[in-house]
């Protein structure tokens, strides 16, 4: 998807005060906030906001059942069609990969080691959040690639 298309999608967001889209998200993402940042062209800042709740925004933007969750709660449907939150989230995640934006550590190193077994979405997410907390993480996967069910499910 092109940036021009994403910009058109962001313009549909009303930036609701009560944020029904956020209450519809099981991760408690803040679509209103990352859409506002994307609308302003601050994609990197939107990515770092998404990192507070998910490290797989490219994946979540594509496979989450948005019509039952965030988009399903969007008040825009009373006028025409819900804001395409998933497409915006996937675009931001894809841009982060393309541009090489990193997941920053948030806390000091803990000097403790943690092993995660399984390199699927849950293992990757757990590893990333533990790394952000300052832990040393080793991720064990039986295949020579990560992805779990996303790759062979």
């Amino acid at each position: 998807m092109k940036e021009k298309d994403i910009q058109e999608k962001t313009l549909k967001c009303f930036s609701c005060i009560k944020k029904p889209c956020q209450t519809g998200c099981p991760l408690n993402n803040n679509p209103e906030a990352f859409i506002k940042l994307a609308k302003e062209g601050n994609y990197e800042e939107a990515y770092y906001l998404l990192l507070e709740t998910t490290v797989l925004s490219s994946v979540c933007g594509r496979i989450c059942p948005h019509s039952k969750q965030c988009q399903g709660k969007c008040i825009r449907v009373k006028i025409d069609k819900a804001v395409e939150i998933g497409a915006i989230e996937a675009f931001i995640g894809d841009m982060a990969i393309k541009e090489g934006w990193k997941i920053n550590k948030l806390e000091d190193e803990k000097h403790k080691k943690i092993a995660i077994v399984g390199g699927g979405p849950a293992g990757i997410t757990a590893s990333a959040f533990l790394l952000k907390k300052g832990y040393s993480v080793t991720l064990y996967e039986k295949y020579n690639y990560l992805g779990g069910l996303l790759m062979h499910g």
Side-chain angles (χ1 to χ4, degrees):
M1 192 160 292
K2 297 180 181 177
E3 186 174 353
K4 178 184 157 216
D5 299 328
I6 291 301
Q7 281 300 311
E8 286 177 18
K9 292 178 188 324
T10 64
L11 293 174
K12 291 183 146 234
C13 182
F14 290 142
S15 294
C16 301
I17 293 170
K18 291 193 177 185
K19 303 178 188 184
C21 55
Q22 186 172 8
T23 62
C25 178
L27 296 177
N28 203 29
N29 275 341
N30 187 345
E32 182 275 330
F34 76 74
I35 290 171
K36 183 176 185 238
L37 290 167
K39 191 185 298 187
E40 296 166 353
N42 295 327
Y43 298 110
E44 188 171 4
E45 197 173 333
Y47 169 70
Y48 286 110
L49 179 64
L50 278 165
L51 278 180
E52 292 177 11
T53 53
T54 181
V55 294
L56 299 172
S57 52
S58 286
V59 175
C60 289
R62 288 181 172 82
I63 68 168
C64 284
H66 298 97
S67 61
K68 294 179 182 176
Q69 296 174 353
C70 55
Q71 285 176 203
K73 303 284 185 188
C74 179
I75 63 165
R76 180 87 195 199
V77 295
K78 294 178 181 180
I79 297 170
D80 52 14
K81 192 172 122 180
V83 175
E84 293 180 53
I85 298 167
I88 298 166
E89 182 178 4
F91 179 83
I92 292 167
D94 291 350
M95 183 175 271
I97 293 167
K98 181 181 162 199
E99 298 294 326
W101 298 334
K102 303 291 182 203
I103 299 172
N104 297 327
K105 285 186 178 178
L106 299 178
E107 297 181 15
D108 293 334
E109 200 169 328
K110 301 268 191 286
H111 301 291
K112 293 185 179 186
K113 297 178 182 180
I114 297 175
I116 302 286
V117 178
I124 292 169
T125 300
S127 296
F129 277 94
L130 288 165
L131 284 167
K132 285 170 41 174
K133 293 282 187 185
Y135 293 97
S136 175
V137 178
T138 301
L139 180 62
Y140 293 96
E141 171 57 48
K142 70 179 176 178
Y143 299 104
N144 62 351
Y145 55 87
L146 298 176
L149 286 175
L150 295 175
M151 297 297 289
H152 49 80

